[in-house]
Amino acid sequence: SYELTQPPSVSVSPGQTAIITCSGDKLGNKPTSWYQQRPGQSPTLVIYRDIERPSGIPERFSGSNSGHTATLTISGTQAMDEADYYCQAWGSNSYVFGTGTKVTVL
Amino acid sequence: EVQLLESGGGLVQPGGSLRLSCAGSGFSFSNNAMIWVRQAPGKGLECVSFISSSGDNTNYADSVKGRFTISRDSAKNTLYLQMNNLRAEDTAVYYCSKSRGTFEPLDTWGLGTMVTVSS
């Protein structure tokens, strides 16, 4: 089955840049989405088709995808960005989610 | 406003059954694939099942195949998940979400409904 691997945690200081990676076989060939899940809330789409931002998502969220790794970048991280982040792509004939990364804003 | 609202969760004994519902509003229900995603306590997201916009195609995670059945009623704008022979490992928050197609993102999520399987 297709698997997506993320680092369990990323720590960042307010105003700095957080980088979250998502690794999977030939992931660069698959449109990848990213979801933010704040504590006690449902997931929210923050990036789709590798680089696109839904309306209402701040410009500080950006994405890229090449080779075997997709990346979510949060520039100028704010306290409100502290959350779990999941990548997602289509694989094994289903929607596959990454293992998740907890972003802590110190 | 696009909304998804799940219902039907609760406490059930191992081997029991539950039917989850998800009511959609504010969008063209019949033009969207619908997906059930679950999250066990303290764990990540898992796609449990999805159904195509037409209802002709369905898919299940191996962990629920043969026990869960997904269906949709476009006249009622409602998605269902019939869960039979429930196990302790099915304990999770179950989210309903929608997607415009196979390679499209899950663009809207419901608030979720908690299913607890315990004796």
Side-chain angles (χ1 to χ4, degrees), chain A residues 33 35 37 42 49 90 93, chain B residues 39 59 102 104-106 110-111:
Chain A
S33 300
Y35 303 86
Q37 186 178 33
S42 309
R49 294 181 191 167
W90 182 260
N93 199 33
Chain B
Q39 186 172 37
N59 182 281
T102 301
E104 297 300 321
L106 284 64
L111 296 178

Side-chain angles (χ1 to χ4, degrees), chain A residues 1-79:
Chain A
S1 63
Y2 193 76
E3 297 182 351
L4 295 173
T5 302
Q6 299 178 233
S9 63
V10 167
S11 297
V12 61
S13 300
Q16 298 305 301
T17 297
I19 298 175
I20 307 164
T21 59
C22 173
S23 299
D25 186 40
K26 299 177 182 177
L27 182 58
N29 294 337
K30 302 175 181 289
T32 299
S33 300
W34 290 90
Y35 303 86
Q36 175 193 68
Q37 186 178 33
R38 294 189 173 112
Q41 296 187 15
S42 309
T44 301
L45 180 67
V46 294
I47 292 289
Y48 67 100
R49 294 181 191 167
D50 301 334
I51 62 172
E52 303 293 337
R53 269 180 294 105
S55 61
I57 300 301
E59 291 183 7
R60 63 180 182 273
F61 289 89
S62 63
S64 64
N65 189 9
S66 179
H68 302 287
T69 303
T71 301
L72 174 68
T73 301
I74 312 174
S75 305
T77 306
Q78 300 183 9

